[in-house]
Amino acid sequence: MAITTKPLTRVFNYNGLKLPDLAPGLSVETVKERWAGTYGEITNASVEGPKQVGDELHYTFVRAVRDKGCA
């Protein structure tokens, strides 16, 4: 019986959106930087994951929470 392997697909989530992987060879931080060009808030976001869901690895960009007017 032969063992076969299948690479897991990366999926990036942000603010309820499912963002496709721009290129599997890029690091997660590079993907974050590239998506920040479209979604500027991602620049300061942290990355949670990966969490395996079926044959996908899910990463979530979590925006930093900021309080306005606090001194």
Side-chain angles (χ1 to χ4, degrees):
M1 178 162 145
I3 297 175
T4 58
T5 60
K6 179 181 175 185
L8 299 174
T9 303
R10 297 187 306 180
V11 175
F12 296 89
N13 299 292
Y14 172 67
N15 202 26
L17 299 172
K18 188 174 181 179
L19 307 173
D21 192 356
L22 299 173
L26 296 177
S27 70
V28 172
E29 283 300 314
T30 301
V31 171
K32 175 184 158 184
E33 290 170 9
R34 299 237 177 126
W35 276 115
T38 302
Y39 303 100
E41 301 88 6
I42 290 177
T43 301
N44 296 319
S46 62
V47 179
E48 292 183 355
K51 178 181 177 185
Q52 187 171 348
V53 179
D55 61 353
E56 297 178 331
L57 288 178
H58 285 247
Y59 294 85
T60 302
F61 299 128
V62 180
R63 293 185 301 191
V65 177
R66 294 175 50 184
D67 291 335
K68 291 187 176 184
C70 293

